Amino acid sequence: MDLSTGYMGLALRNPLVASPSPLSHTLDGIRRLADGGVGAIVMFSLFEEQLRERAERTYRLVDEPAESFPEALGYFPSVAGEDVGPRGYLDLLERAVSAVDIPVIASLNGITPESWTGYARAMQDAGAAAIELNIYYFPADPEVSGPDVEQRHVDVFRRVKAAVTVPVAVKLKPYFSSPGAIALRLDEAGADGLVLFNRFIYPDIDLERLAVRPVVDLSSPADARLPRTWIALLCGKVRASLAATTGVEVPADLASYLLAGADVVMTTSALLRHGPRYATVLLDGLSSWMRHKGFQTVDEVRGKLAAPDITDRAAYERAGYVTAMRAANAGGYAPW
Ligand SMILES: Cc1cc2nc3c(=O)[nH]c(=O)nc-3n(C[C@H](O)[C@H](O)[C@H](O)COP(=O)(O)O)c2cc1C
């Protein structure tokens, strides 16, 4: 089965992309991801904090959450012996690009428009096929308004887009009052890709130590429903490529995202759980299902179950909600 496809103008051998994770912290890990069969790799993020300060200082911040952005700390790479500061990142990126024959996408994680552009350009120079912006901004200050948060996203994107010639994708969180509106704004601003959605890290409480601790959970297939709904709603409405991230565990999750309208489907949790070779299981399963349903190409699958192009999409979504609630109540889910 020919699974070849495209993402932001890049030619991919298949639509499964390894999303940022510790699996790309080393050259060996990147090689294993490529050998596992994915169509492209998005490397782990270089953090804004690492751009602003020396790597040693960054590691101290991890131990002093009060000074920084506690919700982001769980993502800090913590590979012993690896230089994951800006220079180390660019060096690893450059080696990765020559070591594998699939596109390697670099990822920047930050919240302010400053300090991104130089590194975005350096990533391009190091051979990145594209740049993914992981705008990890949590509006913990209640004085910050929704429009301010949106503007910050657009400003960051515009700066980076103006600094490079490679495609630029924005990885979004779902927590906007209107996720579709920010997607359209970024699309109009020229985003080449929209990645829906990042998973934020919410701290847990350690009852024994009486302390707050960051927790990074792996996802489950039910977590895919929210991004899949938005991909189905945005399919055909934006020029940008749509990348799905969250909740891919079995081949059916991959197929469902494509049916909803994703150009590519990303996975981290499944590869962390089962290893990089698990990509083959996902892709073989997709091929078998496509054969079974008579699909010849990924294009034929894509968007087949996107939201219909009707005028009142809100009513359409609400009708689905009402039907689901009626079924749940009839099934005895509501003892109250
Ligand atoms: C341990 C771990 C590290 C991650 N590091 C990053 C990162 O550096 N940058 C980023 O954009 N996303 C990062 N993510 C988020 C994943 O790329 C992905 O978007 C998210 O886990 C949802 O996909 P999944 O359900 O397939 O895991 C990380 C996730 C995990 C579990």
Side-chain angles (χ1 to χ4, degrees), residues 7-316:
Y7 176 49
M8 303 194 285
L10 306 170
L12 267 52
R13 62 187 178 188
N14 65 63
L16 185 64
V17 173
S19 37
S21 82
L23 292 169
S24 57
H25 280 178
T26 61
L27 189 60
D28 180 53
I30 290 166
R31 278 209 186 96
R32 288 173 61 216
L33 285 169
D35 293 346
V38 293
I41 297 169
V42 188
M43 275 178 62
F44 67 95
S45 301
L46 180 59
F47 280 73
E48 180 176 321
E49 289 80 350
Q50 290 165 300
L51 305 185
R52 282 200 256 112
E53 311 190 30
R54 296 181 62 80
E56 296 82 356
R57 171 76 184 129
T58 305
Y59 282 116
R60 278 214 302 282
L61 282 181
V62 175
D63 296 327
E64 299 164 26
E67 285 186 46
S68 187
F69 314 100
E71 70 281 1
L73 294 180
Y75 276 176
F76 270 100
S78 59
V79 219
E82 287 288 328
D83 172 8
V84 289
R87 239 178 302 115
Y89 190 98
L90 294 173
D91 177 56
L92 178 60
L93 171 61
E94 201 165 351
R95 287 185 291 141
V97 169
S98 18
V100 300
D101 57 2
I102 54 172
V104 180
I105 298 171
S107 169
L108 270 170
N109 179 315
I111 53 168
T112 60
E114 300 79 31
S115 35
W116 292 70
T117 50
Y119 280 93
R121 219 174 291 126
M123 286 170 160
Q124 170 175 288
D125 293 346
I131 291 171
E132 185 174 291
L133 296 179
N134 175 15
I135 307 176
Y136 200 104
Y137 176 62
F138 187 91
D141 178 354
E143 305 275 322
V144 177
S145 74
D148 284 351
V149 174
E150 289 182 14
Q151 193 58 46
R152 187 187 285 257
H153 281 70
V154 176
D155 289 346
V156 166
F157 168 73
R158 278 190 199 283
R159 285 217 183 195
V160 171
K161 180 69 183 165
V164 296
T165 52
V166 292
V168 180
V170 184
K171 189 172 189 179
L172 289 170
K173 58 181 179 166
Y175 311 113
F176 293 96
S177 51
S178 177
I182 183 70
L184 287 188
R185 276 191 75 186
L186 288 164
D187 187 52
E188 278 158 21
D192 300 281
L194 296 170
V195 184
L196 277 59
F197 288 117
N198 201 358
R199 298 181 75 221
F200 271 34
I201 288 171
Y202 302 103
D204 205 350
I205 296 217
D206 185 329
L207 291 182
E208 204 48 51
R209 292 173 54 228
L210 293 183
V212 176
R213 60 180 166 92
V215 183
V216 182
D217 292 319
L218 299 185
S219 65
S220 67
D223 298 323
R225 291 189 199 138
L226 179 66
R228 202 166 57 224
T229 300
W230 280 105
I231 282 174
L233 286 165
L234 288 170
C235 177
K237 294 274 171 215
V238 290
R239 189 202 45 82
S241 294
L242 292 171
T245 178
T246 296
V248 172
E249 176 61 19
V250 292
D253 302 320
L254 179 49
S256 301
Y257 266 134
L258 293 173
L259 285 167
D263 290 283
V264 291
V265 181
M266 300 186 165
T267 174
T268 284
S269 292
L271 300 181
L272 284 172
R273 274 195 193 104
H274 309 290
R277 291 215 162 274
Y278 188 67
T280 314
V281 175
L282 293 172
L283 291 163
D284 288 351
L286 175 67
S287 295
S288 309
W289 172 80
M290 284 173 63
R291 253 191 306 276
H292 170 64
K293 297 308 264 180
F295 292 115
Q296 313 275 335
T297 65
V298 172
D299 268 350
E300 288 172 19
V301 178
R302 182 172 296 121
K304 241 192 157 15
L305 293 181
D309 203 7
I310 53 174
T311 38
D312 197 347
R313 287 176 155 219
Y316 171 78

